[in-house]
Amino acid sequence: MNPPGFPTIPCALTIAGSDSGGGAGIQADLKTFQSLGVHGLTVITCITAQNPDKVAGVREIPPTMVRQQLEAVESYFAPECVKIGMLYSVPVIHEVSLYLARKKEAFVVLDPVMISTSGRALLSTKAIDCLVQEIVPHCSLLTPNLPEAEYLLKKQLSSRERIKSAVRELHDKFGCFVLLKGGHSASSTEVIDIYWDGQTEDILSSPRIKNVQTHGTGCTYASAICAKMATKPEIKTAIREAHSFVHEAIKHSVQSGRATLLHW
Ligand code: PXL
């Protein structure tokens, strides 16, 4: 038991892979949680050897160890908000889905990480199918980028109209709230994200910041939404605040070694 008198802060859990370059994955999530006033819990699913240019290697954490991490965190903290990133393998996905099945009340953000910004597949086709079958049914909010949405819907999203209807199709198909991120779109002047919860649409737009490497943006965005939800605003407010958090982080990018990094 704590002695009385300490202030309390909320906690949130990220279930994701480690990025040795520190820009994406668990490292991005933890930095985001901390800076938004939330204690970060981490369940690591795999370890990547990478820098912003390339993923040189990936190793799975043994699924029993993933289970142990989940149990250790759950028994002590019982986080109400969970962010899921790179799950990597089918056995790890099974473990995470068993955990989520026991957490019916939690707010779960799924960033369906499939391909790294440097172009490497981070999930096999078999694992993507398993993710859709076993994880998506437990998630509250899905945050695909355009290539991920195209993969999930098995069609090209080449026009603004198609993108707008894709958000609704994803909601109908998967039964969760959807935030479709437009950072990969062809528009050179604006980034438009579209949110749809089955009843209301929200369009979030910001000027595109040119010539900035965006490695880790998706992780930072989803974990910012998760952290905001842990401090209990309503979901549309959480998404709006997370959108501007990421926009500011891109705008204030810094250089370290050869990398350009989001900064806030
Ligand atoms: O940005 C997607 C992503 C998520 N998680 C890990 C990653 C990456 C991209 O490289 O390495 C661990």
Side-chain angles (χ1 to χ4, degrees):
M1 261 317 252
N2 285 337
F6 286 114
T8 55
I9 60 167
C11 62
L13 167 64
T14 166
I15 306 175
S18 164
D19 169 7
S20 54
I26 284 279
Q27 288 81 355
D29 298 343
L30 206 49
K31 287 189 281 190
T32 305
F33 286 171
Q34 178 75 14
S35 68
L36 294 175
V38 169
H39 173 60
L41 308 162
T42 59
V43 167
I44 302 185
T45 57
C46 64
I47 296 180
T48 69
Q50 69 169 306
N51 56 41
D53 284 346
K54 71 167 189 192
V55 179
V58 187
R59 287 284 181 279
E60 179 191 66
I61 297 294
T64 50
M65 185 59 195
V66 171
R67 186 190 313 165
Q68 277 188 304
Q69 293 178 76
L70 288 165
E71 286 171 358
V73 157
E74 187 57 30
S75 64
Y76 216 88
F77 296 94
E80 288 171 12
C81 293
V82 180
K83 181 247 155 176
I84 299 177
M86 180 177 175
L87 295 186
Y88 187 55
S89 72
V90 168
V92 167
I93 292 173
H94 285 322
E95 287 301 335
V96 173
S97 84
L98 291 172
Y99 170 71
L100 294 177
R102 298 193 297 273
K103 284 190 72 79
K104 301 242 179 292
E105 304 302 317
F107 178 83
V108 180
V109 190
L110 173 63
D111 183 21
V113 173
M114 295 177 193
I115 303 167
S116 73
T117 314
S118 58
R120 159 126 179 200
L122 298 175
L123 210 58
S124 67
T125 314
K126 233 164 70 188
I128 295 176
D129 292 344
C130 185
L131 186 82
V132 168
Q133 274 166 22
E134 298 192 15
I135 303 294
V136 173
H138 299 294
C139 83
S140 319
L141 174 68
L142 183 66
T143 63
N145 58 29
L146 278 176
E148 289 158 353
E150 287 180 336
Y151 187 92
L152 291 169
L153 291 173
K154 310 255 179 288
K155 67 166 152 189
Q156 295 255 296
L157 302 175
S158 40
S159 67
R160 176 78 69 94
E161 285 323 300
R162 277 183 155 227
I163 293 171
K164 277 194 100 172
S165 63
V167 191
R168 292 168 192 237
E169 286 168 45
L170 287 165
H171 171 270
D172 294 346
K173 185 164 178 178
F174 298 122
C176 55
F177 303 162
V178 179
L179 175 68
L180 178 47
K181 298 172 296 184
H184 292 69
S185 81
S187 161
S188 58
T189 52
E190 256 186 316
V191 174
I192 297 179
D193 303 333
I194 308 176
Y195 167 77
W196 173 249
D197 61 14
Q199 272 162 354
T200 52
E201 182 182 75
D202 203 8
I203 310 243
L204 303 100
S205 86
S206 47
R208 185 179 292 278
I209 300 159
K210 294 205 183 101
N211 304 323
V212 175
Q213 209 182 41
T214 52
H215 178 65
T217 309
C219 305
T220 304
Y221 201 165
S223 53
I225 297 169
C226 184
K228 294 280 174 189
M229 288 304 284
T231 59
K232 303 230 178 299
E234 165 284 328
I235 180 153
K236 281 208 294 182
T237 310
I239 290 176
R240 287 218 151 248
E241 291 179 358
H243 176 99
S244 30
F245 179 80
V246 172
H247 177 74
E248 291 300 310
I250 298 173
K251 204 160 105 187
H252 296 109
S253 288
V254 290
Q255 198 76 27
S256 193
R258 286 172 45 213
T260 313
L261 302 164
L262 301 189
H263 191 70
W264 55 85

